[in-house]
Amino acid sequence: SFYTLHDNFSEDLAEDTDEETGTAWPTVLTHTVKTTQVTDADYQLSDLVYAINTNVQPTADPVNLVFQHMMAQVEVALIPGNGLTMAELISEDADTKATVTLLGLKTKVEMRPDKTAAIDTYDGRELMLSNASESDDITLQTVPTDDISTALCGAAVVVPQTANGQFICINYLGYDTYVNVTNLKLKSGYRYRFNVTVDRIGGEYSLTPVTVAQWTDEATKREAELK
């Protein structure tokens, strides 16, 4: 049987070579997401995935391990509006460069690995997670797009939790613009897409509904309330 994790745990997982006792199974592990996820390395370190494959018959072939995302993912795409271009939003010019931050999210969570959990279901993943704590802001990569039908966006791995109030802060042109949410439940194994239009002058910042789907290729979508 294979039980495989990719994580950022506070605890050390050491191999137990005692043939009588076998490897000690961890009871509680504390995973932490990075507060800066601008680089691929920090994003990947923030991810927590788990795979279970039991009762595998001896074979010379590779053993298939299907990893499931235990965390949630928040995606933000910036759409250049009136008087701004995509190049300006990512330039080094402090007057136009945009910075995207998720506000006041919990960054630590405890996981109790279960050998029998149905990790391909939300309920199975949720039962292993508890005691989310230590709130902080999370900065993600600034990614502008002129076509929201593409997957192009900035993304951050976040601890499952419920968000309220000011959720996303976009700083550009010397001002902070906020995206507010009401009881947005960030669920284990789901991703949440925000498409935000930013203008230099005139108009209001427009938002499309949040897209909520399994963090896979599935097409299930729901709308979360924005205000």
Side-chain angles (χ1 to χ4, degrees):
S1 295
F2 294 84
Y3 309 96
T4 312
L5 288 160
H6 175 277
D7 57 83
N8 186 27
F9 290 141
S10 304
E11 299 81 6
D12 292 327
L13 298 181
E15 182 180 4
D16 184 349
T17 57
D18 190 317
E19 294 183 1
E20 294 295 328
T21 63
T23 301
W25 185 258
T27 55
V28 180
L29 298 168
T30 305
H31 176 75
T32 303
V33 300
K34 302 279 287 186
T35 56
T36 300
Q37 297 186 34
V38 175
T39 67
D40 289 344
D42 286 336
Y43 173 90
Q44 291 166 4
L45 188 61
S46 300
D47 205 0
L48 170 57
V49 293
Y50 186 30
I52 298 175
N53 192 345
T54 59
N55 300 318
V56 178
Q57 296 300 312
T59 175
D61 297 326
V63 175
N64 189 39
L65 296 172
V66 180
F67 287 88
Q68 301 291 335
H69 291 282
M70 302 298 296
M71 299 291 96
Q73 178 177 262
V74 175
E75 304 173 344
V76 180
L78 300 184
I79 305 160
N82 296 330
L84 284 173
T85 66
M86 289 198 294
E88 287 176 319
L89 291 175
I90 58 174
S91 75
E92 293 304 318
D93 186 342
D95 289 336
T96 60
K97 182 178 181 180
T99 301
V100 182
T101 307
L102 308 180
L103 301 176
L105 293 182
K106 294 179 173 63
T107 57
K108 289 183 180 291
V109 66
E110 292 181 353
M111 177 184 179
R112 290 167 171 77
D114 189 326
K115 291 183 177 182
T116 61
I119 61 174
D120 59 340
T121 68
Y122 167 68
D123 289 340
R125 295 187 300 271
E126 184 185 38
L127 288 173
M128 287 187 281
L129 302 173
S130 63
N131 298 329
S133 63
E134 297 196 15
S135 298
D136 207 338
D137 298 340
I138 299 173
T139 302
L140 56 152
Q141 186 178 14
T142 300
V143 179
T145 182
D146 57 3
D147 183 3
I148 61 173
S149 67
T150 70
L152 194 64
C153 63
V157 176
V158 301
V159 170
Q161 60 197 282
T162 299
N164 269 298
Q166 293 179 343
F167 181 55
I168 303 172
C169 175
I170 304 167
N171 178 274
Y172 69 105
L173 297 176
Y175 295 95
D176 289 333
T177 297
Y178 298 97
V179 176
N180 295 333
V181 297
T182 302
N183 293 327
L184 177 61
K185 189 171 184 179
L186 303 170
K187 298 167 59 175
S188 168
Y190 282 74
R191 55 186 174 86
Y192 302 76
R193 171 74 177 246
F194 291 79
N195 299 309
V196 185
T197 300
V198 290
D199 299 316
R200 180 186 289 272
I201 54 174
E204 295 191 4
Y205 308 111
S206 60
L207 306 175
T208 63
V210 182
T211 296
V212 183
Q214 290 282 357
W215 196 348
T216 63
D217 294 329
E218 296 177 22
T220 304
K221 294 182 179 179
R222 302 176 187 172
E223 289 187 359
E225 180 183 358
L226 282 177
K227 84 186 235 191

